Amino acid sequence: MSSIRILISLYILLSLCYSATVQGIIKDKRTKEPLIGANVMLKGTSLGSSTDETGFYIIQNVGLGNYSLIVSYIGYEDFEEKISVKSKSAIVLDLL
């Protein structure tokens, strides 16, 4: 039983060491107003977030690698941006 706990603890520790945060603010390009409730997702994963009243989003526990960040919002065309997560630090991506 204790070996299972050790393995689970090791897995959690390694997951935290090799993960990053993707965050930013989504605003309308023309008016510069925040897009409240926009969906921000990493394509091909179950990771995503919605923007708050300031347009801020945060996606945590992102593994190292290359992703397509997709932003969708009612009344707007979907937006896709390629991103590369190379370290466990925060990736800040503000979009207009």
Side-chain angles (χ1 to χ4, degrees):
M1 188 66 143
S2 64
S3 62
I4 292 175
R5 286 184 184 165
I6 292 171
L7 287 175
I8 291 172
S9 297
L10 182 60
Y11 174 77
I12 291 171
L13 180 62
L14 288 174
S15 295
L16 293 174
C17 289
Y18 293 101
S19 64
T21 300
V22 177
Q23 64 187 38
I25 296 175
I26 310 292
K27 293 183 179 182
D28 182 279
K29 187 175 185 176
R30 186 176 51 80
T31 66
K32 309 293 189 254
E33 291 292 319
L35 296 182
I36 301 167
N39 293 308
V40 184
M41 300 178 298
L42 295 178
K43 187 176 185 178
T45 74
S46 61
L47 301 174
S49 179
S50 293
T51 57
D52 65 12
E53 64 276 353
T54 64
F56 178 77
Y57 69 93
I58 186 167
I59 304 171
Q60 298 177 322
N61 300 320
V62 178
L64 304 181
N66 297 315
Y67 299 93
S68 291
L69 183 92
I70 302 198
V71 179
S72 60
Y73 192 72
I74 295 175
Y76 289 74
E77 286 186 34
D78 287 357
F79 176 84
E80 186 170 341
E81 176 81 19
K82 303 270 187 214
I83 63 169
S84 182
V85 179
K86 296 181 180 179
S87 68
K88 64 178 183 174
S89 61
I91 306 295
V92 179
L93 187 62
D94 296 333
L95 302 172
L96 296 176

